[in-house]
């Protein structure tokens, strides 16, 4: 019960910190603000500003890609359900078909079946795909979207 409360508290704090900066879809997908940066300094300035400004939206992009990658790989989904479900169920079993079974034996069976299953599901390929796809989408968006008029970038550009 305490672990459920901790998870709920962690989700609340995550929502308050990360998702408080969530911008509207109209602002995030504003096609009128898309332009190619003039030089590398402009691209870096845009990247710096937009990653802070759209951090909540970028967190949702990474989460959506993670959910997609797990759903798109059925063997990975099956192996994760098997392993996490096994951890949750092991504490409830004491007898199997009238025989007393220790938790050590159940964990051993879980790992003997679960680890090869997870290995064939190629979680590292999925992780690297997630990192690459997220980096490409976030860096492309952050470099192409011009900061708004209220940004520090606009003040620096006007002063020069």
């Amino acid at each position: 019960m305490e672990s459920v409360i901790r998870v709920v508290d962690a989700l609340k704090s995550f929502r308050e910190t990360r998702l408080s900066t969530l911008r509207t879809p109209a602002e995030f997908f504003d096609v009128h603000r898309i332009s190619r940066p003039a030089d590398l300094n402009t691209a870096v300035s845009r990247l710096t500003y937009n990653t802070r400004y759209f951090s909540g939206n970028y967190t949702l992009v990474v989460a959506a890609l993670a959910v997609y990658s797990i759903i798109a790989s059925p063997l990975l989904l099956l192996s994760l359900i098997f392993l996490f479900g096994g951890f949750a169920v092991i504490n409830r079993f004491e007898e199997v078909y009238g025989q007393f079974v220790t938790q050590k034996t159940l964990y051993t069976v879980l790992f003997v079946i679960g680890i090869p299953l997870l290995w064939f599901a190629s979680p590292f390929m999925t992780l690297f795909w997630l990192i690459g796809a997220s980096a490409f989408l976030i860096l492309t968006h952050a470099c192409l979207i011009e900061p708004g008029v209220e940004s520090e970038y606009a003040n620096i550009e006007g002063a020069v």
Side-chain angles (χ1 to χ4, degrees):
M1 187 64 176
E2 291 178 25
S3 61
V4 173
I5 294 171
R6 279 188 272 143
V7 168
V8 170
D9 289 341
L11 287 174
K12 284 181 183 178
S13 68
F14 175 76
R15 187 181 66 193
E16 291 170 357
T17 58
R18 277 292 189 196
L19 297 182
S20 64
T21 62
L22 197 62
R23 306 295 176 195
T24 63
E27 187 176 5
F28 188 67
F29 296 112
D30 188 8
V31 295
H32 301 293
R33 290 177 35 195
I34 293 177
S35 69
R36 197 178 111 218
D39 58 359
L40 186 61
N41 290 334
T42 307
V44 171
S45 298
R46 287 182 184 185
L47 184 68
T48 304
Y49 176 77
N50 285 333
T51 51
R52 278 187 275 126
Y53 188 72
F54 291 115
S55 66
N57 296 73
Y58 292 148
T59 302
L60 285 181
V61 167
V62 172
L65 286 174
V67 168
Y68 169 75
S69 66
I70 289 174
I71 290 173
S73 176
L75 187 58
L76 180 62
L77 181 63
L78 177 71
S79 62
L80 289 175
I81 290 171
F82 179 77
L83 284 170
F84 287 118
F87 283 121
V89 171
I90 281 178
N91 292 327
R92 298 182 184 184
F93 281 115
E94 291 183 13
E95 286 188 30
V96 177
Y97 298 115
Q99 299 287 331
F100 182 74
V101 180
T102 64
Q103 283 186 346
K104 181 179 178 182
T105 305
L106 291 174
Y107 279 122
T108 303
V109 170
L110 180 67
F111 283 126
V112 165
I113 296 170
I115 298 299
L117 185 65
L118 187 65
W119 183 260
F120 288 125
S122 65
F124 296 114
M125 182 186 74
T126 304
L127 177 69
F128 289 128
W129 177 86
L130 178 63
I131 291 169
S134 299
F136 175 77
L137 288 175
I138 291 169
L139 292 175
T140 302
H141 182 270
C143 285
L144 292 180
I145 296 291
E146 290 181 4
V149 178
E150 72 280 352
S151 73
E152 300 166 349
Y153 176 76
N155 293 336
I156 293 171
E157 188 75 10
V160 173

